[in-house]
């Protein structure tokens, strides 16, 4: 279990994580969703003990990570955003090393290494130096190193970056298996699809702040039934905004130069009406894109920014 | 700190080191090659270098002939084997690397010598050889001196020859014989004043002996070993940056084991490497120089302890550097001056006094002197124990400070 209370981390006058609170329950996956620079890794660093929180409190399995660091760390596994492996040595040696770093020894360590190698699908290449591995294999062993000691809390910082679809699926399975054993998982990503697929609970994170959080259903509720409609063409965005705003159930999300984003209930039926409004304002629509309600639309609504797909 | 983890950290670094064969070859190869070069340079009696000198005589006069006679003289022929050729063939032989140097006696040499104007000789040396061409250069200088002295001593005769050759007819055989005999006699007399100083240039040690009777090569051996140790220490010390950039250190901070445990494992692995390298270097050197191998274990213990302390010193610099490059710049700026002052290039015994004083208090110079004492058996157990205590204390202090730094600011990228 992870408890984050009013966490704040600043670098000089720059606030990377600003007054953030959330809880990750045992057996649940909590997603931190946010664009580059949102502060996801910084938050993870404060939980793992790598960074000193400027303010606030973090508890892992009930232990304060600052005051009871050692006990907190014992139950914690971290999969860093960047690969943290000894590339010159084999997967086996990496696993043995990290297992030992968490206090494992002897036959327990050996047995667990074998299990994790099997589990990550790397048994047949186990004695090769890690530098010979593909990107996806490195990601898997990077994950394996973090679960050697069967942590009760797992922090995953964008673990699927640069991974092919098969390895990604395998990673998802592995995360889910950990959760099935009661592990609490904090999962950061900027892939909306991953978050929807994997997470029980989600927090949308931008500029160091949690701007929305809850279960998938909660968040979907916040999106409502409205679609997101993107229009582009020969028009002045501000004039189009003025023409569209008066229409019932139409909300302008962003408007810039010759494109505009709207949140509209039942958008497909209302297209003619919208086109007409723009034509009346002296414009012409050349391109329309319609998206069904999703987290992505929520993110867009809340931040005015699109996430990478 | 668990011993199991220290053990795994140790194994991990040892296998990483063995993967890095190029670095190992460097640590071992550089001192071996330099040692070999120094042995060749100083050679002792075993392998006195004899230069192979080609002579192209384009002057073909009495004086150039006398000059060649001088080169064949006893004093010179100890060092020089002479062979006559012409310029083109000589150049070819040099380019093929089959001779040490080519001496061209140009036309007009005789006239110049006789009038004591500048006598030009052309000496083309083989770039692949260092010491033999040097011997030849020195010999030439000696000969130039000889000409100078000849003018002082044989002024009369020389002027006679000059008069003779100025006319078109060649000097009579008797005249040459007479002059030759005269010159030979004078040479025998002045030779012993002229030649010894030139020889001293090559064999400083045999002369004023600042070394207390210890052969120069024996004094050089610890220097060469410490050169290897310093190079190694810099290389192994820089490895903390590899650990940092792979992200292992930041991951380590979120693990319950301490950074000190990781560092201890690392240092033990480094100790094995230092031990292995100094074992090879010491054994080869001691066998070569007939130093009793009974002194090897203590010498080895000392080099290992010293080497590990140097690794820690460099590591300490690296964990304080802003980037790996910055660390390399700083340590490069230290390694070579330290080698120089600490007696790796030439022993403190033959340094100028101020330099020797500074050299003896550099960390490597200080350790090196202890090793020298061990190798030539002029130390006792008490002194050794005291020195060991000093080294251990220094190592421990640096270890603790480095570990704290590694687990703190250094681990965060
Ligand atoms: N040591 C530091 N000093 C100053 N600013 C920092 C430091 N580390 C991070 N930051 C800043 O904090 C902000 C959050 O960074 P962080 O790495 O947590 O973002 P992120 O959400 O993980 O982004 P990404 O998706 O790119 O990994 C960024 O603006 C970053 O520049
Ligand atoms: Mg990040």
């Amino acid at each position: 279990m992870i408890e984050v209370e009013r966490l704040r981390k600043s670098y000089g006058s720059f606030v990377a994580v600003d007054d953030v609170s959330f809880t990750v329950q045992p057996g649940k996956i909590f997603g931190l969703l946010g664009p580059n620079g949102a502060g996801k890794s910084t938050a993870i660093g404060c939980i793992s003990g790598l960074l000193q929180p400027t303010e606030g409190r973090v508890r892992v399995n009930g232990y304060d990570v600052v005051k009871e660091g050692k006990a907190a760390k014992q139950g914690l596994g971290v999969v860093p955003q960047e690969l943290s492996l000894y590339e010159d040595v084999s997967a086996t040696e990496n696993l043995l090393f990290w297992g030992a770093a968490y206090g494992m020894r002897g036959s327990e360590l050996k047995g667990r290494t074998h299990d994790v190698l099997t589990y990550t699908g790397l048994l047949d290449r186990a004695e090769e130096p890690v530098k010979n591995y593909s990107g996806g294999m490195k990601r898997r062993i990077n994950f394996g190193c973090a679960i050697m000691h069967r942590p009760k809390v797992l922090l995953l910082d964008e673990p699927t970056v640069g991974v092919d679809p098969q390895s990604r699926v395998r990673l998802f399975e592995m995360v889910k298996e950990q959760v099935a054993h009661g592990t609490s998982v904090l999962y950061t990503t900027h892939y909306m699809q991953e978050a929807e697929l994997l997470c029980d609970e989600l927090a949308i994170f931008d500029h160091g702040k949690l701007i929305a959080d809850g279960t998938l259903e909660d968040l979907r509720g916040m999106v409502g039934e409205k679609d997101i409609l993107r229009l582009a063409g020969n028009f002045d965005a501000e004039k189009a905004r003025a023409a569209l705003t008066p229409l019932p159930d139409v909300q302008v999300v962003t408007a810039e130069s010759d494109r505009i984003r709207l949140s509209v209930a039942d958008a497909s039926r209302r297209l003619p009406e919208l086109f007409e409004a723009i034509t009346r304002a002296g414009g012409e629509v050349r391109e329309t894109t319609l998206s069904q309600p999703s987290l992505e639309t929520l993110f867009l609504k809340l931040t005015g920014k699109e996430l990478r797909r | 700190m668990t011993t199991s983890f220290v053990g795994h950290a140790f194994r991990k670094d040892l296998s990483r080191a063995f993967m890095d064969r190029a670095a190992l070859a460097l640590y071992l190869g550089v001192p071996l090659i330099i040692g070999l070069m120094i042995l060749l340079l100083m050679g002792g009696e075993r392998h006195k270098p004899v230069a192979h000198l080609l002579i192209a005589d384009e002057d073909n006069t009495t004086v150039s002939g006398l000059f060649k006679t001088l080169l064949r003289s006893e004093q010179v022929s100890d060092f020089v084997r002479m062979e006559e050729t012409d310029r083109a063939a000589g150049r070819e032989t040099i380019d093929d690397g089959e001779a040490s140097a080519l001496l061209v006696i140009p036309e007009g040499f005789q006239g110049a010598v006789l009038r004591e104007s500048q006598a030009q000789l052309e000496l083309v040396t083989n770039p692949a050889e260092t010491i033999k061409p040097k011997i030849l250069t020195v010999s030439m200088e000696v000969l130039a001196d000889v000409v100078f002295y000849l003018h002082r001593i044989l002024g009369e005769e020389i002027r006679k020859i000059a008069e003779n050759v100025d006319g078109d007819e060649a000097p009579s055989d008797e005249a040459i014989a007479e002059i030759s005999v005269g010159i030979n006699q004078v040479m025998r007399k002045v030779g012993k004043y002229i030649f010894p100083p030139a020889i001293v240039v090559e064999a400083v040690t045999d002369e004023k002996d600042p070394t207390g009777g210890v052969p120069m090569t024996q004094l050089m051996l610890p220097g060469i070993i410490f050169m290897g140790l310093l190079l190694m220490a810099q290389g192994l010390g820089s490895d903390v940056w590899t650990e940092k950039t792979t992200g292992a250190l930041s991951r380590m901070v979120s693990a319950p084991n301490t950074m000190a445990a990781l560092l201890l494992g690392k240092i033990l692995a480094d100790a094995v490497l230092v031990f292995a390298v100094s074992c090879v270097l010491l054994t080869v050197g001691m066998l070569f120089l007939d130093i009793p191998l009974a002194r090897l274990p203590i010498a080895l213990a000392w080099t290992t302890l010293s080497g590990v302390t140097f690794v820690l010193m460099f590591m300490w610099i690296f964990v304080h550097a802003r980037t790996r490059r910055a660390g390399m710049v700083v340590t490069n700026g230290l390694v070579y001056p330290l080698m120089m002052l600490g007696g790796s290039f030439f022993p403190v015994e033959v340094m100028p006094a101020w330099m020797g004083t500074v050299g003896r208090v550099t960390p490597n110079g200080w350790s090196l002197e202890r090793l020298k004492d061990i190798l030539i058996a002029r130390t006792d157990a008490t002194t050794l124990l005291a020195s060991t205590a000093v080294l251990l204390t220094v190592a421990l202090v640096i270890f603790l400070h480095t570990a704290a730094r590694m687990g703190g600011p250094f681990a965060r990228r």
Side-chain angles (χ1 to χ4, degrees):
Chain A
M1 173 145 145
I2 309 171
E3 295 154 284
V4 176
E5 269 171 53
R6 312 211 62 172
L7 176 66
R8 192 180 151 92
K9 174 71 187 175
S10 43
Y11 295 106
S13 61
F14 178 77
V15 184
V17 173
D18 194 2
D19 197 14
V20 165
S21 306
F22 60 86
T23 303
V24 185
Q25 298 294 344
K28 297 281 181 210
I29 306 180
F30 188 94
L32 266 188
L33 187 63
N36 288 133
K40 305 181 295 292
S41 296
T42 307
I44 292 231
C46 291
I47 300 169
S48 72
L50 180 62
L51 303 172
Q52 285 275 335
T54 311
E55 269 172 49
R57 203 146 73 124
V58 179
R59 269 179 301 200
V60 170
N61 299 323
Y63 299 107
D64 188 302
V65 293
V66 177
K67 292 182 200 133
E68 301 156 291
K70 196 168 174 186
K73 286 170 183 175
Q74 189 60 56
L76 192 68
V78 187
V79 181
Q81 181 170 0
E82 273 130 89
L83 295 169
S84 305
L85 299 164
Y86 289 107
E87 299 240 339
D88 291 337
V89 302
S90 66
T92 306
E93 278 178 281
N94 271 285
L95 292 175
L96 286 171
F97 176 81
W98 288 110
Y102 282 86
M104 298 173 82
R105 55 169 65 220
S107 56
E108 185 209 4
L109 178 58
K110 283 220 180 74
R112 178 68 179 159
T113 300
H114 187 268
D115 292 350
V116 170
L117 282 169
T118 315
Y119 182 59
T120 51
L122 293 167
L123 194 57
D124 51 338
R125 310 261 316 249
E127 299 312 318
E128 253 178 77
V130 169
K131 64 179 169 210
N132 295 354
Y133 285 12
S134 72
M137 291 164 75
K138 285 181 187 172
R139 286 278 160 198
R140 277 185 272 153
I141 192 71
N142 198 39
F143 178 84
C145 290
I147 57 165
M148 278 296 288
H149 61 295
R150 300 184 178 86
K152 291 259 100 248
V153 166
L154 199 51
L155 309 178
L156 297 150
D157 198 354
E158 304 195 28
T160 56
V161 172
V163 156
D164 63 50
Q166 282 98 319
S167 279
R168 178 186 297 233
V169 168
R170 182 73 201 113
L171 266 165
F172 284 0
E173 284 169 8
M174 292 194 293
V175 172
K176 284 183 174 155
E177 280 160 26
Q178 294 302 308
V179 174
H181 289 105
T183 303
S184 316
V185 174
L186 179 62
Y187 190 102
T188 84
T189 181
H190 51 239
Y191 295 112
M192 186 59 70
Q193 187 205 12
E194 277 190 5
E196 283 181 322
L197 205 71
L198 208 60
C199 301
D200 303 298
E201 229 182 297
L202 269 172
I204 290 176
F205 211 56
D206 195 27
H207 294 300
K209 288 197 169 75
L210 272 194
I211 46 182
D213 67 327
T215 62
L216 263 176
E217 282 66 49
D218 294 343
L219 293 177
R220 288 219 172 98
M222 288 172 74
V223 187
E225 293 302 303
K226 292 183 178 182
D227 301 329
I228 284 279
L229 183 64
R230 296 183 191 77
L231 301 177
N234 284 332
F235 54 77
D236 177 69
E238 283 312 313
K239 278 192 195 152
R241 181 203 285 270
L244 295 169
T245 312
L247 300 177
D249 282 333
V250 174
Q251 209 185 325
V252 178
V253 181
T254 60
E256 46 193 61
S257 64
D258 60 348
R259 50 193 64 234
I260 192 159
R261 289 200 192 95
L262 309 169
S263 161
V264 190
D266 207 3
S268 50
R269 291 226 200 124
R270 298 191 61 190
L271 280 177
E273 185 189 336
L274 299 169
F275 284 7
E276 206 186 301
I278 290 179
T279 316
R280 256 186 280 124
E284 188 195 351
V285 176
R286 286 268 171 87
E287 221 182 290
T288 35
T289 323
L290 181 66
S291 353
Q292 297 297 315
S294 70
L295 283 181
E296 187 141 24
T297 51
L298 175 67
F299 190 83
L300 190 62
K301 233 166 102 174
L302 291 171
T303 66
K305 277 188 281 191
E306 278 187 85
L307 277 163
R308 277 178 283 157
R309 276 160 190 275
Chain B
M1 187 184 299
T2 62
T3 43
S4 159
F5 177 57
V6 174
H8 283 284
F10 167 77
R11 274 183 35 188
K12 166 271 289 178
D13 269 326
L14 212 53
S15 24
R16 287 176 64 229
F18 280 113
M19 292 295 291
D20 194 1
R21 305 252 160 73
L24 279 183
L26 177 91
Y27 302 147
L28 209 58
V30 167
L32 278 178
I33 288 167
I34 291 183
L36 202 73
M37 273 166 56
I38 288 181
L39 276 176
L40 275 178
L41 272 169
M42 309 217 282
E45 265 55 68
R46 284 194 203 192
H47 345 253
K48 181 184 286 178
V50 174
H52 182 188
L53 176 67
L54 304 171
I55 289 198
D57 185 359
E58 296 180 344
D59 195 37
N60 244 324
T61 54
T62 319
V63 171
S64 69
L66 283 170
F67 188 78
K68 286 184 278 182
T69 314
L70 283 177
L71 280 176
R72 283 199 199 89
S73 71
E74 217 181 296
Q75 289 92 335
V76 180
S77 66
D78 267 3
F79 301 96
V80 181
R81 182 161 62 80
M82 201 188 89
E83 184 190 327
E84 282 210 56
T85 176
D86 62 49
R87 186 190 283 262
R91 271 319 277 255
E92 224 167 90
T93 317
I94 288 284
D95 290 343
D96 291 346
E98 278 159 18
S100 313
L102 165 69
L103 180 73
V104 180
I105 306 176
E107 241 186 288
F109 178 71
Q110 166 166 290
V113 169
L114 293 182
R115 278 174 211 92
E116 212 189 338
S117 63
Q118 190 128 52
Q120 280 283 334
L121 285 172
E122 239 181 286
L123 188 68
V124 184
T125 54
N126 179 352
E129 293 185 13
T130 47
I131 181 62
K132 293 172 191 171
K134 203 172 145 211
I135 294 175
L136 288 172
T137 314
V138 172
S139 309
M140 290 309 137
E141 281 161 10
V142 172
L143 286 175
D145 288 343
V146 170
V147 171
F148 174 82
Y149 285 112
L150 285 181
H151 271 280
R152 296 289 146 319
I153 303 159
L154 300 174
E156 257 327 291
E157 264 103 325
I158 287 178
R159 261 182 295 281
K160 223 186 280 168
I161 304 173
E163 274 156 29
N164 251 331
V165 296
D166 269 355
D168 264 350
E169 54 193 85
S172 68
D173 285 352
E174 291 106 89
I176 291 178
E178 190 187 316
I179 295 164
S180 294
V181 169
I183 289 176
N184 263 334
Q185 278 172 354
V186 176
M187 275 304 296
R188 212 164 294 133
K189 268 188 269 167
V190 298
K192 63 171 178 273
Y193 300 110
I194 298 169
F195 288 111
I199 292 160
V200 167
V201 175
E202 292 314 314
V204 188
T205 49
D206 296 338
E207 286 305 304
K208 56 181 199 292
D209 202 4
T211 61
V214 181
M216 192 66 166
T217 39
Q218 287 201 16
L219 293 179
M220 286 302 296
L221 176 64
I224 294 165
I225 287 164
F226 272 74
M227 176 185 295
L229 292 183
L230 280 179
L231 282 175
M232 223 178 152
Q234 188 194 22
L236 296 176
S238 75
D239 190 59
V240 285
W241 268 95
T242 312
E243 295 241 12
K244 176 188 164 75
T245 47
T246 58
L249 293 187
S250 51
R251 190 174 215 161
M252 190 61 215
V253 173
S254 53
N257 248 304
T258 59
M259 198 58 89
L262 182 144
L263 184 57
L264 182 59
K266 188 172 200 59
I267 287 298
L268 290 175
D270 292 347
V272 170
L273 296 175
V274 172
F275 178 87
V277 166
S278 45
C279 186
V280 173
L281 295 178
L282 271 172
T283 311
V284 170
M286 290 171 84
L287 284 175
F288 208 87
L289 301 176
D290 300 326
I291 300 170
L293 280 183
R295 297 170 200 166
L296 181 63
I298 294 180
L300 207 43
W302 182 256
T303 51
T304 307
L305 183 55
S306 303
V308 165
T309 311
F310 298 158
V311 173
L312 280 165
M313 285 177 184
F314 282 110
M315 219 177 248
W316 185 87
I317 294 172
F318 275 107
V319 298
H320 284 85
R322 286 194 151 268
T323 60
R324 182 199 286 264
R325 257 187 75 79
M328 284 312 280
V329 169
V330 172
T331 51
N332 274 337
L334 277 173
V335 166
Y336 294 96
L338 280 179
M339 281 184 188
M340 175 86 183
L341 288 168
S344 280
F345 295 148
F346 41 88
V348 288
E349 283 85 350
V350 300
M351 284 180 190
W354 68 268
M355 214 174 147
T357 314
V358 177
R360 276 177 233 264
V361 296
T362 58
N364 55 316
W366 180 83
S367 300
L368 189 155
E369 288 306 300
R370 307 285 89 72
L371 175 63
K372 203 181 277 173
D373 292 345
I374 295 169
L375 287 182
I376 57 187
R378 62 172 182 206
T379 188
D380 55 85
T382 331
T383 323
L384 263 178
L385 280 176
S387 305
T388 306
V390 170
L391 215 47
L392 276 174
T393 313
V394 171
L396 184 68
V397 169
I398 303 176
F399 177 91
L400 292 174
H401 197 257
T402 306
R405 176 91 190 170
M406 274 170 85
F410 188 67
R412 297 176 194 124
R413 331 183 191 217

